[in-house]
Amino acid sequence: MSGGRLNLVLEGERRYAVEISAGDQTWHASLEIDPAGHVGFGAWQPPDPPAWLCQTATAVMRAEWRARQVPDAPPWPRRITRWRRGPDDV
């Protein structure tokens, strides 16, 4: 595997459409982060994306949530795109 790509597109306050891809496979779901900072995913299509990419999405969203815990916080980003090295990549 040569890493993975994460694309998040804002759909509403604290709600994103998620697309993750690794190799030639792509998965789609929704993601919502509640006011307490807990990240939840909707059903994945197709099922069973790589856990490490889900963990990456969770970490990115937790960082975005923390950035909004200050007075006069910036708005949620409309789009977030990240690439990460895979766990087996050297």
Side-chain angles (χ1 to χ4, degrees):
M1 190 176 297
S2 61
R5 187 164 198 68
L6 169 67
N7 291 303
L8 298 144
V9 178
L10 185 65
E11 291 185 324
E13 187 177 351
R14 297 186 319 266
R15 181 176 173 82
Y16 283 82
V18 180
E19 177 185 278
I20 60 175
S21 56
D24 61 351
Q25 296 181 332
T26 301
W27 296 266
H28 299 272
S30 61
L31 175 152
E32 196 159 340
I33 186 161
D34 71 17
H38 299 106
V39 176
F41 292 97
W44 286 99
Q45 296 298 323
D48 303 325
W52 64 273
L53 277 172
C54 294
Q55 292 166 350
T56 298
T58 298
V60 166
M61 290 311 298
R62 289 279 301 161
E64 291 295 339
W65 175 81
R66 282 190 301 276
R68 272 136 203 91
Q69 303 308 300
V70 298
D72 299 322
W76 288 87
R78 292 173 59 193
R79 179 177 293 273
I80 301 169
T81 302
R82 300 286 187 276
W83 179 88
R84 292 292 183 264
R85 183 183 313 257
D88 298 331
D89 295 337
V90 177

